[in-house]
Every structure is written in structure tokens, then in C-alpha cells.
């Protein structure tokens, strides 16, 4: 219950006038002024009593559509309010509490409702729109409902309803393919098969065994041997890609470790991370999303499974900075391994970071480095060591940065096209 002043401007004015009449009546000895004062005070008292003795049962349900919204997106909130009362209600006001991470007008006039004696509750839907500003889990409510007596003298406010959760996920930007050539870095469009022999004519057939698929029967070999023969199993290479998000607490603003959405630079990094993972999954890669110390930030995302990206994006709604692993740790992790595309999203990039990351490009078919801050000629130094590097400072269009790390492949594609035309 809100303990604010229970009288409206009209009720406050009536009370002040009543006191003034009492004072004037005492000074002037006027019975009429005293009567007017008593009448005004009685009216105020009756209004307060009527407002509080009338029983009103108010129930509330709140829903958000969608319940999970990307940062920068919009959600429509519907608050269903049902009032059960013996007496008609007068118009009032309502205001739904909205946290700082969401923005929008969430108040308005509450209409008058008729008596419920003739059957059931009187209900109304209150609808308003919100814009998601900050990533994280936000709670709407409670709803503050203010009602007045029929004379507009007294008011009563109450906070009703449970809180409703709204999840704000990082924005997932649709990015173009990483390279100009379909599957040029090992995607499903370029998946290779390994067979014994150099072609279909050299496939080795073996005798049929229970459990073998009938579709794999090698009919020429079956006719030649007068027994069922099947083709040797094909071994398809699994195209893999890795996205690494630098979460070391010391490399970001202190607020990034406390709550999601507090550091614009870290938000730009999280957006780049999920967008890169989405682009690689769409292109057919099995994507690992890791921290710089090698800790998985999600399960492996299967190539082509966009639903897995949705799960990743939802999980990243509450992601904050964590740990102390340096970029040198990442270089040591990959010292004896190779991968397809490797996308590293990090914070400030200087000469020291470039030196620590210099060994990594040799272990990736397409190493991409995205930094939210760049010191001096650090990007040029990174490119010289083999990285496809770009800045994703807050305010930068991520799609433009992604095109920048692909521009070398675009040039190669044009050269190849001119060669075929010649």
C-alpha cells in the first residue's frame, strides 16, 4: 500500500477551507462559517471512509510479447486487471513499474468500472510498448493502481500483482558469409570425403554384413562375386570453426563484471560474438564458443542448426566478464592444434596484444580478430602477422567490420572470376 497523502487537490483544498472557516468563525462569531467548515470536513471524512470500507478485490496477470527480446528491439506488455466490487468505481490512474534497462511509457487513466453485483468481475486490458535498452533479465511491476471516491476528494493507491520477467538478449546481427567462395574455409558446402582409391570406379567393396544399409549395396561387385557386396564407408570430414570471447575482467570496465549491459564496449563484443557464431553455423560449421582460457561458453553448435544459436543468444543474456586469463593463454592452447575459421573478439588491442596473438594465425584457415579498441597501428601489425583484423568500437556497424575482414577474399574472388573469363 502506498502511504502518500490520501487527499486529492480538491480534498486538500476543502480541508484547508474548513480550517479557515473554523478560524474565521471563532474570530467573527459566525455560526454560518462554522457550519460550512463542519460540512466540508464531514464531506472529506465521508469520502475517506467510503473509499476504504468498500471492498475491492483486484487480480492482475501480465504478459510480454515476446518474453525474450533482443537489445534494441520492442516488446508489447499486456496487463489484464480484473476488479470485483459491490460499488461502481470512479476513474483513476495506473502506473506499471519499469526497470532502467527497459524504456517506455507505462501509465495512464484507469476507467470507471460498473458494480459487480450483477455478475462477475469487471476487467480491462492495459497495453503499453517497451524498448529493450540493456541486455539482462528485467522485472516488470508491481502495478500501482490509484482510485478516487465519487467526489474526487480522497484517493487510495495500492501496488498489486506479481513481477513479470523480461529477458533481453544480445542483438544478433545478420552477417554475410565469411568468405567470397562458398565453403572456401571448410564449410559444409565444401565438405570433403575420404575414400580408398581415387574415384567411384576404384571404390573397394566388402561383403554385406547385418545392419548395413541396403542403399549402400554395390551392384556391380555383387554381380561379379555372386554375393551381396557393399561400398566401403565414406568418411566425411566435420567442418569446424571456433569463436573466442575475451572475458578477462581486467580488460573491460569494472561495471561489466557486475551486471549485463553496463559496459558499451563489452556489449559490442558480446554482439559480435553471437553474430559471428550465427553466421558460421548458418554456413554449415560446427562452432565452438570459448573463453580465452579454453572454457566452453556453450555446447558445440551444430552446422545449420539455427535453434542452437537461439539457445546461445538466450544464455548470453546474463553473461558478464570473468576470470584473469590473458591472450597469451589462448596462444598456448592452440600451439598444437588447428581449426577452420577462428574468430577472436577482444577488448583493447595494442602492440603487446598483437605480439601475444601472433602465433595463432598459423593454426587457422581463416583467423579473424575483432577488437573494441585499437591503439596506434595495432590493426596493421595484426594484419602483418596473418590476422584479418577490424575494429568494432561502440557505434561501429558490425556488418561493415565483418566485410572488412572478408575483403581479401573478395579481391581473390574477383581475380579468379577474371581468370575464368579469360
Amino acid at each position: 500500500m502506498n502511504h502518500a497523502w490520501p487527499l486529492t487537490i480538491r480534498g486538500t483544498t476543502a480541508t484547508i477551507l474548513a480550517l479557515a472557516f473554523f478560524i474565521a468563525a471563532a474570530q467573527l462569531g459566525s455560526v454560518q462559517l462554522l457550519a460550512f467548515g463542519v460540512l466540508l470536513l464531514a464531506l472529506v471524512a465521508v469520502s475517506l471512509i467510503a473509499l476504504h470500507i468498500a471492498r475491492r478485490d483486484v487480480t492482475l496477470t501480465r504478459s510480454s510479447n515476446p518474453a525474450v527480446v533482443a537489445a534494441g528491439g520492442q516488446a508489447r506488455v499486456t496487463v489484464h486487471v480484473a476488479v470485483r466490487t459491490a460499488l461502481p468505481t470512479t476513474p483513476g490512474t495506473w502506473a506499471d513499474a519499469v526497470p532502467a534497462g527497459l524504456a517506455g511509457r507505462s501509465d495512464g487513466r484507469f476507467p470507471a468500472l460498473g458494480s459487480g453485483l450483477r455478475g462477475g468481475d469487471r476487467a480491462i486490458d492495459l497495453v503499453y510498448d517497451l524498448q529493450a535498452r540493456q541486455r539482462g533479465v528485467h522485472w516488470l511491476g508491481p502495478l500501482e493502481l490509484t482510485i478516487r471516491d465519487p467526489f474526487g476528494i480522497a484517493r487510495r493507491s495500492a501496488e498489486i500483482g506479481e513481477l513479470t520477467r523480461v529477458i533481453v538478449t544480445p542483438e544478433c546481427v545478420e552477417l554475410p558469409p565469411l568468405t567470397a567462395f562458398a565453403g572456401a574455409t571448410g564449410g559444409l558446402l565444401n565438405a570433403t570425403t575420404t575414400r580408398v582409391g581415387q574415384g567411384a570406379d576404384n571404390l573397394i567393396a566388402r561383403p554385406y554384413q547385418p545392419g548395413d544399409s541396403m542403399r549402400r549395396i554395390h551392384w556391380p561387385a555383387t554381380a561379379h562375386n555372386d554375393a551381396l557386396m557393399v561400398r566401403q564407408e565414406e568418411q566425411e570430414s566435420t567442418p569446424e570453426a571456433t569463436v573466442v570471447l575475451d572475458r578477462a575482467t581486467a580488460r573491460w570496465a569494472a561495471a561489466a563484471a557486475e551486471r549485463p549491459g553496463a559496459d558499451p564496449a563489452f556489449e559490442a563484443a558480446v554482439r559480435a560474438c553471437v553474430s559471428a557464431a550465427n553466421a558460421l553455423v548458418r554456413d554449415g560449421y560446427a562452432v565452438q564458443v570459448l573463453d580465452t582460457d579454453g572454457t566452453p561458453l556453450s555446447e558445440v553448435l551444430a552446422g545449420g542448426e539455427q535453434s542452437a544459436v537461439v539457445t546461445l543468444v538466450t544464455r548470453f543474456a546474463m553473461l558478464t566478464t570473468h576470470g584473469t586469463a590473458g591472450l597469451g593463454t589462448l596462444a598456448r592452447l592452440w600451439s598444437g592444434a588447428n581449426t577452420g575459421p577462428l574468430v577472436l573478439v577482444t577488448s583493447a588491442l595494442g602492440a603487446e596484444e598483437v605480439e601475444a596473438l601472433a602465433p595463432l594465425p598459423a593454426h587457422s584457415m581463416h583467423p579473424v580478430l575483432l577488437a573494441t579498441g585499437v591503439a596506434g597501428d595495432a590493426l596493421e601489425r595484426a594484419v602483418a602477422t596473418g590476422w584479418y583484423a577490424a575494429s568494432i568500437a561502440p557505434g561501429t556497424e558490425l556488418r561493415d567490420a565483418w566485410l572488412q575482414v572478408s575483403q581479401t577474399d573478395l579481391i581473390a574472388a574477383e581475380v579468379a572470376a577474371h581468370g575464368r573469363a579469360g
Side-chain angles (χ1 to χ4, degrees):
M1 182 69 68
N2 193 319
H3 297 286
W5 178 246
L7 299 180
T8 64
I9 295 177
R10 183 181 300 177
T12 302
T13 303
T15 303
I16 294 174
L17 284 175
L19 295 176
F21 286 154
F22 288 150
I23 295 173
Q27 295 292 329
L28 301 175
S30 173
V31 177
Q32 290 85 354
L33 290 178
L34 181 61
F36 278 125
V38 172
L39 178 62
L40 286 177
L41 278 185
L43 183 61
V44 172
V46 169
S47 297
L48 286 170
I49 293 172
L51 191 63
H52 286 79
I53 65 172
R55 181 178 178 181
R56 295 178 178 87
D57 292 329
V58 183
T59 58
L60 177 149
T61 57
R62 185 190 294 105
S63 61
S64 172
N65 183 28
V68 179
V69 59
Q74 287 192 336
R76 171 155 292 188
V77 180
T78 301
V79 184
H80 182 79
V81 181
V83 181
R84 181 185 294 272
T85 175
L87 299 176
T89 63
T90 56
T93 60
W94 64 272
D96 208 11
V98 174
L102 304 172
R105 183 173 180 179
S106 58
D107 58 5
R109 299 284 296 176
F110 192 84
L113 298 177
S115 170
L117 291 178
R118 295 186 177 181
D121 300 340
R122 295 296 183 264
I124 185 173
D125 286 337
L126 310 174
V127 181
Y128 61 93
D129 294 323
L130 291 177
Q131 183 177 27
R133 285 185 173 177
Q134 287 188 349
R135 180 173 57 88
V137 175
H138 306 283
W139 296 90
L140 298 175
L143 180 84
E144 182 179 17
L145 182 61
T146 301
I147 56 176
R148 293 176 172 83
D149 70 289
F151 299 106
I153 292 177
R155 62 187 173 192
R156 182 182 182 184
S157 297
E159 293 182 346
I160 57 176
E162 300 293 332
L163 303 184
T164 300
R165 183 179 67 175
V166 176
I167 300 175
V168 179
T169 64
E171 180 186 8
C172 187
V173 181
E174 283 294 327
L175 301 176
L178 183 61
T179 61
F181 299 112
T185 55
L188 287 182
L189 296 177
N190 194 42
T192 60
T193 58
T194 303
R195 298 184 180 94
V196 177
Q198 299 298 318
D201 293 338
N202 295 326
L203 284 176
I204 295 177
R206 60 170 176 80
Y208 172 85
Q209 296 179 358
D212 287 335
S213 172
M214 297 298 292
R215 291 178 297 177
R216 304 196 61 80
I217 293 179
H218 193 298
W219 294 109
T222 296
H224 180 74
N225 292 279
D226 198 22
L228 284 176
M229 305 291 288
V230 297
R231 297 181 181 89
Q232 181 170 315
E233 293 290 339
E234 296 177 354
Q235 298 176 350
E236 290 193 0
S237 60
T238 301
E240 295 180 350
T242 306
V243 179
V244 180
L245 176 61
D246 180 7
R247 296 174 62 208
T249 302
R251 295 177 54 78
W252 304 95
E258 299 171 0
R259 67 183 189 279
D263 179 16
F266 188 66
E267 294 309 297
V270 174
R271 179 172 64 250
C273 176
V274 297
S275 300
N278 177 65
L280 293 169
V281 168
R282 180 200 61 212
D283 292 343
Y285 295 96
V287 180
Q288 283 189 316
V289 183
L290 307 176
D291 200 341
T292 46
D293 61 0
T295 302
L297 299 181
S298 74
E299 295 78 12
V300 176
L301 311 179
E305 292 292 336
Q306 298 302 124
S307 59
V309 179
V310 174
T311 303
L312 171 73
V313 171
T314 303
R315 176 174 295 181
F316 272 29
M318 291 299 293
L319 190 73
T320 57
T321 59
H322 177 75
T324 59
L327 297 179
T329 303
L330 181 64
R332 290 191 293 272
L333 286 175
W334 289 97
S335 60
N338 293 304
T339 186
L342 170 62
V343 180
L344 170 59
V345 185
T346 186
S347 178
L349 185 67
E352 182 179 350
E353 288 76 21
V354 171
E355 182 179 355
L357 296 172
L360 279 173
H363 300 277
S364 170
M365 298 180 69
H366 193 102
V368 174
L369 177 59
L370 302 174
T372 61
V374 178
D377 61 348
L379 278 184
E380 290 77 8
R381 289 171 176 262
V383 171
T385 64
W387 287 101
Y388 297 84
S391 170
I392 55 167
T396 302
E397 288 291 336
L398 180 58
R399 184 181 176 88
D400 293 341
W402 191 257
L403 288 173
Q404 182 178 336
V405 299
S406 301
Q407 63 184 358
T408 302
D409 292 312
L410 293 174
I411 296 173
E414 293 178 0
V415 172
H418 285 303
R420 289 193 299 269

